[in-house]
Amino acid sequence: MPSKTQSRLRIVLEPDIAIGPGKADILEGVRDTGSIAAAGRRMGMSYKRAWLLVETMNACFKEPLVAASRGGKSHGGAVLTPVGEEVLRRYRRMEALSAKAIAAELRGLKRLLSDMSN
Amino acid sequence: MPSKTQSRLRIVLEPDIAIGPGKADILEGVRDTGSIAAAGRRMGMSYKRAWLLVETMNACFKEPLVAASRGGKSHGGAVLTPVGEEVLRRYRRMEALSAKAIAAELRGLKRLLSDMSN
DNA sequence: CACCGATATGTTTCTCGTGACATAACGGTA
DNA sequence: TACCGTTATGTCACGAGAAACATATCGGTG
Protein backbone atom coordinates (compact mmCIF):
# COMPACT_ATOMS: atom_id res chain seq x y z
CA MET A 1 0.00 0.00 0.00
CA PRO A 2 1.14 3.55 -0.63
CA SER A 3 2.18 5.68 2.30
CA LYS A 4 -0.51 7.39 4.31
CA THR A 5 1.53 10.56 4.64
CA GLN A 6 -0.72 13.56 4.11
CA SER A 7 -1.16 17.12 5.19
CA ARG A 8 -4.04 18.55 7.15
CA LEU A 9 -5.08 22.11 7.10
CA ARG A 10 -6.67 23.86 10.02
CA ILE A 11 -7.86 27.44 9.89
CA VAL A 12 -7.78 29.15 13.27
CA LEU A 13 -10.37 31.91 13.40
CA GLU A 14 -10.11 32.60 17.14
CA PRO A 15 -8.15 30.85 19.83
CA ASP A 16 -10.16 27.64 20.35
CA ILE A 17 -12.37 28.32 17.34
CA ALA A 18 -11.20 26.74 14.14
CA ILE A 19 -12.36 24.96 11.05
CA GLY A 20 -10.56 21.78 10.12
CA PRO A 21 -11.19 18.50 8.32
CA GLY A 22 -13.89 17.42 10.80
CA LYS A 23 -16.12 20.47 10.46
CA ALA A 24 -15.66 20.50 6.70
CA ASP A 25 -16.78 16.88 6.55
CA ILE A 26 -19.87 17.76 8.56
CA LEU A 27 -20.76 20.51 6.11
CA GLU A 28 -20.24 18.13 3.24
CA GLY A 29 -22.33 15.50 4.99
CA VAL A 30 -25.20 17.92 5.53
CA ARG A 31 -25.02 18.96 1.90
CA ASP A 32 -25.06 15.34 0.72
CA THR A 33 -27.58 13.82 3.12
CA GLY A 34 -29.89 16.70 3.98
CA SER A 35 -29.69 16.13 7.71
CA ILE A 36 -27.33 16.65 10.61
CA ALA A 37 -28.15 13.24 12.03
CA ALA A 38 -27.34 11.42 8.80
CA ALA A 39 -24.14 13.43 8.37
CA GLY A 40 -23.10 12.38 11.85
CA ARG A 41 -23.96 8.74 11.28
CA ARG A 42 -21.95 8.70 8.09
CA MET A 43 -18.90 9.82 10.07
CA GLY A 44 -19.54 7.46 12.98
CA MET A 45 -20.30 10.45 15.15
CA SER A 46 -23.17 10.94 17.58
CA TYR A 47 -25.95 13.28 16.53
CA LYS A 48 -25.24 15.47 19.53
CA ARG A 49 -21.62 15.94 18.63
CA ALA A 50 -22.46 16.72 15.03
CA TRP A 51 -25.10 19.20 16.12
CA LEU A 52 -22.66 20.82 18.53
CA LEU A 53 -20.15 21.37 15.73
CA VAL A 54 -22.87 22.88 13.56
CA GLU A 55 -23.93 25.20 16.37
CA THR A 56 -20.34 26.35 16.83
CA MET A 57 -19.90 27.04 13.13
CA ASN A 58 -23.20 28.85 12.86
CA ALA A 59 -22.19 31.06 15.77
CA CYS A 60 -18.88 32.25 14.47
CA PHE A 61 -19.92 33.38 11.04
CA LYS A 62 -22.06 36.38 10.20
CA GLU A 63 -24.82 34.11 8.95
CA PRO A 64 -25.55 30.45 9.71
CA LEU A 65 -23.84 27.85 7.53
CA VAL A 66 -26.54 25.27 8.15
CA ALA A 67 -30.29 25.90 8.18
CA ALA A 68 -32.22 23.24 10.08
CA SER A 69 -35.93 22.60 10.25
CA ARG A 70 -38.07 20.31 12.35
CA GLY A 71 -41.11 18.19 11.56
CA GLY A 72 -42.94 18.45 8.29
CA LYS A 73 -43.24 15.99 5.46
CA SER A 74 -39.57 15.13 5.52
CA HIS A 75 -39.54 14.81 9.32
CA GLY A 76 -37.13 17.72 9.57
CA GLY A 77 -33.69 18.11 8.08
CA ALA A 78 -30.90 20.52 7.39
CA VAL A 79 -29.36 22.17 4.34
CA LEU A 80 -26.33 24.30 3.66
CA THR A 81 -27.01 28.00 3.28
CA PRO A 82 -25.28 29.87 0.45
CA VAL A 83 -22.71 30.99 3.00
CA GLY A 84 -22.30 27.40 4.13
CA GLU A 85 -21.70 26.34 0.53
CA GLU A 86 -19.15 29.09 0.15
CA VAL A 87 -17.27 28.21 3.33
CA LEU A 88 -17.11 24.56 2.32
CA ARG A 89 -15.97 25.43 -1.20
CA ARG A 90 -13.29 27.79 0.08
CA TYR A 91 -12.03 25.33 2.65
CA ARG A 92 -11.74 22.50 0.12
CA ARG A 93 -9.96 24.82 -2.22
CA MET A 94 -7.53 25.87 0.47
CA GLU A 95 -6.87 22.20 1.25
CA ALA A 96 -6.09 21.50 -2.38
CA LEU A 97 -3.93 24.59 -2.84
CA SER A 98 -1.98 23.82 0.30
CA ALA A 99 -1.43 20.19 -0.63
CA LYS A 100 -0.20 21.17 -4.04
CA ALA A 101 2.14 23.84 -2.69
CA ILE A 102 3.87 21.52 -0.24
CA ALA A 103 3.91 18.35 -2.33
CA ALA A 104 7.59 18.56 -3.21
CA GLU A 105 8.72 19.31 0.33
CA LEU A 106 6.49 16.53 1.59
CA ARG A 107 8.25 14.00 -0.61
CA GLY A 108 11.55 15.20 0.82
CA LEU A 109 10.28 14.78 4.35
CA LYS A 110 8.96 11.32 3.60
CA ARG A 111 12.41 10.13 2.65
CA LEU A 112 13.54 10.75 6.22
CA LEU A 113 10.88 8.58 7.80
CA SER A 114 11.79 5.34 9.47
CA ASP A 115 11.14 2.22 7.42
CA MET A 116 8.22 1.29 9.62
CA SER A 117 6.51 4.46 8.50
CA ASN A 118 6.22 3.67 4.83
CA MET B 1 -5.64 44.78 16.75
CA PRO B 2 -5.47 42.87 13.49
CA SER B 3 -7.40 39.61 13.17
CA LYS B 4 -5.87 36.47 14.58
CA THR B 5 -7.04 34.40 11.66
CA GLN B 6 -4.28 32.06 10.58
CA SER B 7 -3.70 28.66 9.11
CA ARG B 8 -2.04 25.74 10.79
CA LEU B 9 -0.40 22.91 8.99
CA ARG B 10 -0.19 19.40 10.34
CA ILE B 11 1.63 16.63 8.55
CA VAL B 12 0.19 13.21 9.31
CA LEU B 13 2.87 10.57 8.91
CA GLU B 14 0.90 7.69 10.40
CA PRO B 15 -2.47 7.64 12.08
CA ASP B 16 -1.74 9.17 15.49
CA ILE B 17 1.76 10.19 14.45
CA ALA B 18 2.07 13.69 13.12
CA ILE B 19 4.23 16.76 13.13
CA GLY B 20 2.51 20.07 13.72
CA PRO B 21 3.25 23.51 15.14
CA GLY B 22 3.96 22.13 18.64
CA LYS B 23 6.66 19.67 17.66
CA ALA B 24 8.20 22.18 15.28
CA ASP B 25 8.41 24.72 18.10
CA ILE B 26 10.13 22.13 20.27
CA LEU B 27 12.73 21.51 17.59
CA GLU B 28 13.24 25.23 17.22
CA GLY B 29 13.50 25.62 21.00
CA VAL B 30 16.13 22.91 21.24
CA ARG B 31 18.10 24.52 18.43
CA ASP B 32 17.91 27.94 20.10
CA THR B 33 18.44 26.99 23.73
CA GLY B 34 20.55 23.84 23.58
CA SER B 35 18.34 21.89 25.96
CA ILE B 36 15.01 20.12 26.02
CA ALA B 37 14.22 21.54 29.45
CA ALA B 38 14.77 25.13 28.35
CA ALA B 39 12.80 24.59 25.16
CA GLY B 40 9.92 23.31 27.25
CA ARG B 41 10.12 26.19 29.72
CA ARG B 42 10.08 28.68 26.88
CA MET B 43 6.79 27.20 25.71
CA GLY B 44 5.30 26.92 29.19
CA MET B 45 5.48 23.16 28.89
CA SER B 46 6.70 20.64 31.44
CA TYR B 47 10.06 19.01 30.81
CA LYS B 48 8.43 15.62 30.76
CA ARG B 49 5.99 16.59 28.04
CA ALA B 50 8.72 18.17 25.95
CA TRP B 51 10.90 15.12 26.38
CA LEU B 52 8.00 12.85 25.40
CA LEU B 53 7.50 14.78 22.17
CA VAL B 54 11.19 14.52 21.40
CA GLU B 55 11.13 10.78 22.06
CA THR B 56 8.19 10.36 19.69
CA MET B 57 9.88 12.35 16.95
CA ASN B 58 13.16 10.51 17.34
CA ALA B 59 11.31 7.21 17.05
CA CYS B 60 9.48 7.83 13.81
CA PHE B 61 12.38 9.04 11.69
CA LYS B 62 15.25 6.94 10.40
CA GLU B 63 17.67 8.88 12.60
CA PRO B 64 17.08 10.92 15.75
CA LEU B 65 16.19 14.58 15.30
CA VAL B 66 17.53 15.54 18.71
CA ALA B 67 20.77 14.29 20.28
CA ALA B 68 20.80 14.61 24.06
CA SER B 69 23.66 14.22 26.48
CA ARG B 70 23.87 14.09 30.25
CA GLY B 71 26.34 15.50 32.74
CA GLY B 72 29.60 17.09 31.69
CA LYS B 73 30.72 20.65 31.86
CA SER B 74 27.44 21.98 30.49
CA HIS B 75 25.38 19.77 32.83
CA GLY B 76 23.92 17.99 29.83
CA GLY B 77 21.90 19.36 26.97
CA ALA B 78 20.47 18.63 23.58
CA VAL B 79 21.11 19.71 20.00
CA LEU B 80 19.45 19.19 16.67
CA THR B 81 21.05 16.58 14.46
CA PRO B 82 21.47 17.37 10.77
CA VAL B 83 18.28 15.42 10.14
CA GLY B 84 16.56 17.44 12.86
CA GLU B 85 17.67 20.66 11.19
CA GLU B 86 16.37 19.39 7.88
CA VAL B 87 12.99 18.36 9.25
CA LEU B 88 12.55 21.74 10.94
CA ARG B 89 13.61 23.60 7.82
CA ARG B 90 11.26 21.58 5.64
CA TYR B 91 8.35 21.99 8.02
CA ARG B 92 8.80 25.77 8.25
CA ARG B 93 9.05 25.95 4.52
CA MET B 94 5.86 23.96 4.09
CA GLU B 95 4.13 26.27 6.55
CA ALA B 96 5.22 29.29 4.54
CA LEU B 97 4.32 27.77 1.18
CA SER B 98 0.92 26.72 2.44
CA ALA B 99 0.17 30.11 3.98
CA LYS B 100 1.13 31.85 0.77
CA ALA B 101 -0.93 29.52 -1.38
CA ILE B 102 -4.12 30.01 0.60
CA ALA B 103 -3.75 33.70 1.44
CA ALA B 104 -6.31 34.91 -1.08
CA GLU B 105 -8.91 32.32 -0.14
CA LEU B 106 -8.28 33.05 3.51
CA ARG B 107 -9.11 36.71 3.00
CA GLY B 108 -12.34 35.65 1.34
CA LEU B 109 -13.22 33.40 4.25
CA LYS B 110 -12.44 36.13 6.73
CA ARG B 111 -15.06 38.39 5.23
CA LEU B 112 -17.71 35.88 6.23
CA LEU B 113 -16.75 35.86 9.89
CA SER B 114 -19.03 37.37 12.49
CA ASP B 115 -18.03 40.84 13.67
CA MET B 116 -16.94 39.46 17.03
CA SER B 117 -14.30 37.47 15.21
CA ASN B 118 -12.31 40.34 13.81
C1' DC C 1 32.39 13.71 47.77
C1' DA C 2 28.86 16.96 47.64
C1' DC C 3 26.69 19.67 44.25
C1' DC C 4 25.00 21.31 39.91
C1' DG C 5 21.70 21.29 36.03
C1' DA C 6 20.23 18.51 32.71
C1' DT C 7 18.40 13.94 30.92
C1' DA C 8 15.51 9.90 31.73
C1' DT C 9 11.59 7.53 33.70
C1' DG C 10 7.98 5.91 36.97
C1' DT C 11 3.78 6.81 39.65
C1' DT C 12 -0.16 9.16 41.12
C1' DT C 13 -3.73 12.54 40.74
C1' DC C 14 -6.94 15.23 38.40
C1' DT C 15 -9.34 17.47 34.77
C1' DC C 16 -11.76 17.97 30.71
C1' DG C 17 -13.81 16.17 26.73
C1' DT C 18 -16.56 12.55 25.18
C1' DG C 19 -20.03 9.04 24.98
C1' DA C 20 -24.17 7.39 26.53
C1' DC C 21 -28.61 8.13 27.84
C1' DA C 22 -32.89 10.71 28.40
C1' DT C 23 -36.36 13.99 27.04
C1' DA C 24 -39.03 17.47 24.65
C1' DA C 25 -40.68 19.71 20.56
C1' DC C 26 -41.81 20.01 15.75
C1' DG C 27 -45.05 19.36 11.92
C1' DG C 28 -46.49 16.53 8.95
C1' DT C 29 -49.13 11.60 7.73
C1' DA C 30 -52.12 7.47 8.49
C1' DT D 1 -54.29 11.23 18.19
C1' DA D 2 -50.73 8.10 17.61
C1' DC D 3 -46.63 7.84 15.17
C1' DC D 4 -42.55 9.09 12.52
C1' DG D 5 -37.73 10.84 12.09
C1' DT D 6 -35.51 14.74 12.89
C1' DT D 7 -33.90 18.83 15.55
C1' DA D 8 -32.75 20.60 20.09
C1' DT D 9 -31.02 20.27 24.80
C1' DG D 10 -29.91 18.52 29.50
C1' DT D 11 -27.49 15.35 32.64
C1' DC D 12 -24.21 12.08 34.18
C1' DA D 13 -20.42 8.71 34.26
C1' DC D 14 -16.30 7.37 32.48
C1' DG D 15 -11.72 7.25 30.64
C1' DA D 16 -7.78 9.07 28.12
C1' DG D 17 -4.49 12.32 28.49
C1' DA D 18 -2.13 15.81 31.00
C1' DA D 19 -0.29 17.80 35.06
C1' DA D 20 2.09 17.11 39.30
C1' DC D 21 5.25 14.91 41.92
C1' DA D 22 9.10 11.81 42.78
C1' DT D 23 13.51 9.60 41.74
C1' DA D 24 17.58 7.98 39.54
C1' DT D 25 21.45 8.89 36.60
C1' DC D 26 25.10 11.32 34.29
C1' DG D 27 29.68 13.60 34.27
C1' DG D 28 31.79 17.36 35.14
C1' DT D 29 33.46 21.27 39.02
C1' DG D 30 34.73 23.29 43.58
PDB file of all heavy atoms in Angstrom, chain A residues 61-85:
ATOM      1  N   PHE A  61     -19.837  32.652  12.307  1.00  0.00           N
ATOM      2  CA  PHE A  61     -19.918  33.383  11.037  1.00  0.00           C
ATOM      3  C   PHE A  61     -21.074  34.385  11.097  1.00  0.00           C
ATOM      4  O   PHE A  61     -21.947  34.289  11.951  1.00  0.00           O
ATOM      5  CB  PHE A  61     -20.117  32.405   9.879  1.00  0.00           C
ATOM      6  CG  PHE A  61     -18.861  31.648   9.525  1.00  0.00           C
ATOM      7  CD1 PHE A  61     -18.580  30.428  10.118  1.00  0.00           C
ATOM      8  CD2 PHE A  61     -17.945  32.189   8.634  1.00  0.00           C
ATOM      9  CE1 PHE A  61     -17.408  29.755   9.811  1.00  0.00           C
ATOM     10  CE2 PHE A  61     -16.784  31.511   8.324  1.00  0.00           C
ATOM     11  CZ  PHE A  61     -16.506  30.294   8.908  1.00  0.00           C
ATOM     12  N   LYS A  62     -21.029  35.332  10.214  1.00  0.00           N
ATOM     13  CA  LYS A  62     -22.062  36.379  10.195  1.00  0.00           C
ATOM     14  C   LYS A  62     -23.440  35.771  10.056  1.00  0.00           C
ATOM     15  O   LYS A  62     -24.397  36.198  10.689  1.00  0.00           O
ATOM     16  CB  LYS A  62     -21.819  37.341   9.023  1.00  0.00           C
ATOM     17  CG  LYS A  62     -20.719  38.362   9.234  1.00  0.00           C
ATOM     18  CD  LYS A  62     -20.874  39.489   8.212  1.00  0.00           C
ATOM     19  CE  LYS A  62     -19.854  40.607   8.411  1.00  0.00           C
ATOM     20  NZ  LYS A  62     -18.574  40.358   7.741  1.00  0.00           N
ATOM     21  N   GLU A  63     -23.547  34.791   9.164  1.00  0.00           N
ATOM     22  CA  GLU A  63     -24.818  34.111   8.947  1.00  0.00           C
ATOM     23  C   GLU A  63     -24.615  32.619   9.165  1.00  0.00           C
ATOM     24  O   GLU A  63     -23.499  32.117   9.023  1.00  0.00           O
ATOM     25  CB  GLU A  63     -25.301  34.350   7.505  1.00  0.00           C
ATOM     26  CG  GLU A  63     -25.507  35.822   7.165  1.00  0.00           C
ATOM     27  CD  GLU A  63     -25.775  35.988   5.672  1.00  0.00           C
ATOM     28  OE1 GLU A  63     -26.694  35.313   5.182  1.00  0.00           O
ATOM     29  OE2 GLU A  63     -25.061  36.774   5.019  1.00  0.00           O
ATOM     30  N   PRO A  64     -25.672  31.893   9.499  1.00  0.00           N
ATOM     31  CA  PRO A  64     -25.551  30.446   9.706  1.00  0.00           C
ATOM     32  C   PRO A  64     -25.041  29.751   8.452  1.00  0.00           C
ATOM     33  O   PRO A  64     -25.318  30.189   7.330  1.00  0.00           O
ATOM     34  CB  PRO A  64     -26.988  30.007  10.009  1.00  0.00           C
ATOM     35  CG  PRO A  64     -27.714  31.230  10.430  1.00  0.00           C
ATOM     36  CD  PRO A  64     -27.047  32.377   9.718  1.00  0.00           C
ATOM     37  N   LEU A  65     -24.310  28.673   8.650  1.00  0.00           N
ATOM     38  CA  LEU A  65     -23.842  27.852   7.528  1.00  0.00           C
ATOM     39  C   LEU A  65     -24.835  26.741   7.236  1.00  0.00           C
ATOM     40  O   LEU A  65     -24.917  26.238   6.120  1.00  0.00           O
ATOM     41  CB  LEU A  65     -22.479  27.243   7.854  1.00  0.00           C
ATOM     42  CG  LEU A  65     -21.373  28.204   8.290  1.00  0.00           C
ATOM     43  CD1 LEU A  65     -20.050  27.478   8.320  1.00  0.00           C
ATOM     44  CD2 LEU A  65     -21.317  29.421   7.403  1.00  0.00           C
ATOM     45  N   VAL A  66     -25.577  26.365   8.272  1.00  0.00           N
ATOM     46  CA  VAL A  66     -26.538  25.273   8.149  1.00  0.00           C
ATOM     47  C   VAL A  66     -27.898  25.766   8.624  1.00  0.00           C
ATOM     48  O   VAL A  66     -28.012  26.351   9.695  1.00  0.00           O
ATOM     49  CB  VAL A  66     -26.104  24.062   9.010  1.00  0.00           C
ATOM     50  CG1 VAL A  66     -27.198  23.008   9.052  1.00  0.00           C
ATOM     51  CG2 VAL A  66     -24.809  23.466   8.475  1.00  0.00           C
ATOM     52  N   ALA A  67     -28.921  25.554   7.802  1.00  0.00           N
ATOM     53  CA  ALA A  67     -30.288  25.900   8.179  1.00  0.00           C
ATOM     54  C   ALA A  67     -31.057  24.619   8.460  1.00  0.00           C
ATOM     55  O   ALA A  67     -31.208  23.781   7.569  1.00  0.00           O
ATOM     56  CB  ALA A  67     -30.955  26.698   7.060  1.00  0.00           C
ATOM     57  N   ALA A  68     -31.530  24.472   9.686  1.00  0.00           N
ATOM     58  CA  ALA A  68     -32.224  23.244  10.076  1.00  0.00           C
ATOM     59  C   ALA A  68     -33.704  23.506  10.267  1.00  0.00           C
ATOM     60  O   ALA A  68     -34.111  24.609  10.603  1.00  0.00           O
ATOM     61  CB  ALA A  68     -31.620  22.700  11.372  1.00  0.00           C
ATOM     62  N   SER A  69     -34.494  22.475  10.028  1.00  0.00           N
ATOM     63  CA  SER A  69     -35.935  22.604  10.246  1.00  0.00           C
ATOM     64  C   SER A  69     -36.452  21.324  10.886  1.00  0.00           C
ATOM     65  O   SER A  69     -35.885  20.247  10.687  1.00  0.00           O
ATOM     66  CB  SER A  69     -36.654  22.847   8.921  1.00  0.00           C
ATOM     67  OG  SER A  69     -36.483  21.737   8.063  1.00  0.00           O
ATOM     68  N   ARG A  70     -37.531  21.467  11.649  1.00  0.00           N
ATOM     69  CA  ARG A  70     -38.073  20.310  12.353  1.00  0.00           C
ATOM     70  C   ARG A  70     -39.433  19.924  11.787  1.00  0.00           C
ATOM     71  O   ARG A  70     -40.169  20.754  11.260  1.00  0.00           O
ATOM     72  CB  ARG A  70     -38.204  20.630  13.834  1.00  0.00           C
ATOM     73  CG  ARG A  70     -36.859  20.890  14.482  1.00  0.00           C
ATOM     74  CD  ARG A  70     -36.942  20.791  15.978  1.00  0.00           C
ATOM     75  NE  ARG A  70     -37.594  21.952  16.566  1.00  0.00           N
ATOM     76  CZ  ARG A  70     -37.614  22.200  17.871  1.00  0.00           C
ATOM     77  NH1 ARG A  70     -37.038  21.360  18.699  1.00  0.00           N
ATOM     78  NH2 ARG A  70     -38.210  23.258  18.333  1.00  0.00           N
ATOM     79  N   GLY A  71     -39.792  18.657  11.964  1.00  0.00           N
ATOM     80  CA  GLY A  71     -41.111  18.185  11.560  1.00  0.00           C
ATOM     81  C   GLY A  71     -41.344  18.266  10.071  1.00  0.00           C
ATOM     82  O   GLY A  71     -40.409  18.268   9.279  1.00  0.00           O
ATOM     83  N   GLY A  72     -42.598  18.332   9.703  1.00  0.00           N
ATOM     84  CA  GLY A  72     -42.942  18.451   8.292  1.00  0.00           C
ATOM     85  C   GLY A  72     -42.928  17.132   7.570  1.00  0.00           C
ATOM     86  O   GLY A  72     -42.682  16.074   8.164  1.00  0.00           O
ATOM     87  N   LYS A  73     -43.164  17.200   6.273  1.00  0.00           N
ATOM     88  CA  LYS A  73     -43.244  15.990   5.457  1.00  0.00           C
ATOM     89  C   LYS A  73     -41.971  15.148   5.558  1.00  0.00           C
ATOM     90  O   LYS A  73     -42.015  13.933   5.664  1.00  0.00           O
ATOM     91  CB  LYS A  73     -43.481  16.387   3.994  1.00  0.00           C
ATOM     92  CG  LYS A  73     -43.464  15.218   3.034  1.00  0.00           C
ATOM     93  CD  LYS A  73     -43.910  15.643   1.650  1.00  0.00           C
ATOM     94  CE  LYS A  73     -44.054  14.441   0.741  1.00  0.00           C
ATOM     95  NZ  LYS A  73     -44.637  14.783  -0.558  1.00  0.00           N
ATOM     96  N   SER A  74     -40.848  15.843   5.522  1.00  0.00           N
ATOM     97  CA  SER A  74     -39.573  15.132   5.515  1.00  0.00           C
ATOM     98  C   SER A  74     -39.085  14.806   6.926  1.00  0.00           C
ATOM     99  O   SER A  74     -37.945  14.387   7.102  1.00  0.00           O
ATOM    100  CB  SER A  74     -38.533  15.977   4.788  1.00  0.00           C
ATOM    101  OG  SER A  74     -38.374  17.224   5.455  1.00  0.00           O
ATOM    102  N   HIS A  75     -39.942  15.047   7.929  1.00  0.00           N
ATOM    103  CA  HIS A  75     -39.540  14.815   9.323  1.00  0.00           C
ATOM    104  C   HIS A  75     -38.344  15.665   9.719  1.00  0.00           C
ATOM    105  O   HIS A  75     -37.498  15.202  10.487  1.00  0.00           O
ATOM    106  CB  HIS A  75     -39.202  13.345   9.549  1.00  0.00           C
ATOM    107  CG  HIS A  75     -40.329  12.429   9.246  1.00  0.00           C
ATOM    108  ND1 HIS A  75     -41.472  12.386  10.012  1.00  0.00           N
ATOM    109  CD2 HIS A  75     -40.534  11.562   8.236  1.00  0.00           C
ATOM    110  CE1 HIS A  75     -42.291  11.486   9.491  1.00  0.00           C
ATOM    111  NE2 HIS A  75     -41.761  10.980   8.420  1.00  0.00           N
ATOM    112  N   GLY A  76     -38.243  16.839   9.209  1.00  0.00           N
ATOM    113  CA  GLY A  76     -37.131  17.716   9.566  1.00  0.00           C
ATOM    114  C   GLY A  76     -35.903  17.436   8.733  1.00  0.00           C
ATOM    115  O   GLY A  76     -35.853  16.462   7.979  1.00  0.00           O
ATOM    116  N   GLY A  77     -34.917  18.288   8.854  1.00  0.00           N
ATOM    117  CA  GLY A  77     -33.694  18.114   8.075  1.00  0.00           C
ATOM    118  C   GLY A  77     -32.849  19.368   8.137  1.00  0.00           C
ATOM    119  O   GLY A  77     -33.151  20.302   8.880  1.00  0.00           O
ATOM    120  N   ALA A  78     -31.795  19.374   7.379  1.00  0.00           N
ATOM    121  CA  ALA A  78     -30.897  20.524   7.386  1.00  0.00           C
ATOM    122  C   ALA A  78     -30.244  20.673   6.018  1.00  0.00           C
ATOM    123  O   ALA A  78     -29.982  19.678   5.337  1.00  0.00           O
ATOM    124  CB  ALA A  78     -29.830  20.366   8.463  1.00  0.00           C
ATOM    125  N   VAL A  79     -30.024  21.912   5.628  1.00  0.00           N
ATOM    126  CA  VAL A  79     -29.358  22.165   4.344  1.00  0.00           C
ATOM    127  C   VAL A  79     -28.291  23.223   4.541  1.00  0.00           C
ATOM    128  O   VAL A  79     -28.327  23.993   5.504  1.00  0.00           O
ATOM    129  CB  VAL A  79     -30.352  22.667   3.274  1.00  0.00           C
ATOM    130  CG1 VAL A  79     -31.359  21.583   2.927  1.00  0.00           C
ATOM    131  CG2 VAL A  79     -31.050  23.928   3.748  1.00  0.00           C
ATOM    132  N   LEU A  80     -27.336  23.250   3.625  1.00  0.00           N
ATOM    133  CA  LEU A  80     -26.327  24.304   3.658  1.00  0.00           C
ATOM    134  C   LEU A  80     -26.935  25.588   3.131  1.00  0.00           C
ATOM    135  O   LEU A  80     -27.628  25.590   2.114  1.00  0.00           O
ATOM    136  CB  LEU A  80     -25.125  23.925   2.793  1.00  0.00           C
ATOM    137  CG  LEU A  80     -24.223  22.809   3.298  1.00  0.00           C
ATOM    138  CD1 LEU A  80     -22.921  22.783   2.488  1.00  0.00           C
ATOM    139  CD2 LEU A  80     -23.904  22.981   4.767  1.00  0.00           C
ATOM    140  N   THR A  81     -26.653  26.689   3.808  1.00  0.00           N
ATOM    141  CA  THR A  81     -27.013  27.996   3.277  1.00  0.00           C
ATOM    142  C   THR A  81     -25.998  28.371   2.205  1.00  0.00           C
ATOM    143  O   THR A  81     -24.957  27.725   2.082  1.00  0.00           O
ATOM    144  CB  THR A  81     -26.974  29.054   4.385  1.00  0.00           C
ATOM    145  OG1 THR A  81     -25.625  29.163   4.845  1.00  0.00           O
ATOM    146  CG2 THR A  81     -27.877  28.671   5.547  1.00  0.00           C
ATOM    147  N   PRO A  82     -26.287  29.414   1.421  1.00  0.00           N
ATOM    148  CA  PRO A  82     -25.283  29.873   0.448  1.00  0.00           C
ATOM    149  C   PRO A  82     -23.941  30.142   1.112  1.00  0.00           C
ATOM    150  O   PRO A  82     -22.892  29.783   0.565  1.00  0.00           O
ATOM    151  CB  PRO A  82     -25.908  31.158  -0.093  1.00  0.00           C
ATOM    152  CG  PRO A  82     -27.385  30.926   0.019  1.00  0.00           C
ATOM    153  CD  PRO A  82     -27.574  30.124   1.279  1.00  0.00           C
ATOM    154  N   VAL A  83     -23.976  30.746   2.293  1.00  0.00           N
ATOM    155  CA  VAL A  83     -22.713  30.987   3.002  1.00  0.00           C
ATOM    156  C   VAL A  83     -22.046  29.660   3.370  1.00  0.00           C
ATOM    157  O   VAL A  83     -20.832  29.513   3.257  1.00  0.00           O
ATOM    158  CB  VAL A  83     -22.943  31.834   4.269  1.00  0.00           C
ATOM    159  CG1 VAL A  83     -21.643  31.979   5.053  1.00  0.00           C
ATOM    160  CG2 VAL A  83     -23.490  33.203   3.908  1.00  0.00           C
ATOM    161  N   GLY A  84     -22.838  28.711   3.806  1.00  0.00           N
ATOM    162  CA  GLY A  84     -22.297  27.397   4.126  1.00  0.00           C
ATOM    163  C   GLY A  84     -21.626  26.763   2.917  1.00  0.00           C
ATOM    164  O   GLY A  84     -20.528  26.203   3.012  1.00  0.00           O
ATOM    165  N   GLU A  85     -22.289  26.848   1.779  1.00  0.00           N
ATOM    166  CA  GLU A  85     -21.700  26.339   0.528  1.00  0.00           C
ATOM    167  C   GLU A  85     -20.369  27.029   0.249  1.00  0.00           C
ATOM    168  O   GLU A  85     -19.391  26.387  -0.120  1.00  0.00           O
ATOM    169  CB  GLU A  85     -22.662  26.597  -0.654  1.00  0.00           C
ATOM    170  CG  GLU A  85     -24.019  25.937  -0.531  1.00  0.00           C
ATOM    171  CD  GLU A  85     -24.050  24.548  -1.148  1.00  0.00           C
ATOM    172  OE1 GLU A  85     -22.978  24.028  -1.498  1.00  0.00           O
ATOM    173  OE2 GLU A  85     -25.158  23.988  -1.256  1.00  0.00           O
TER     174      GLU A  85
END
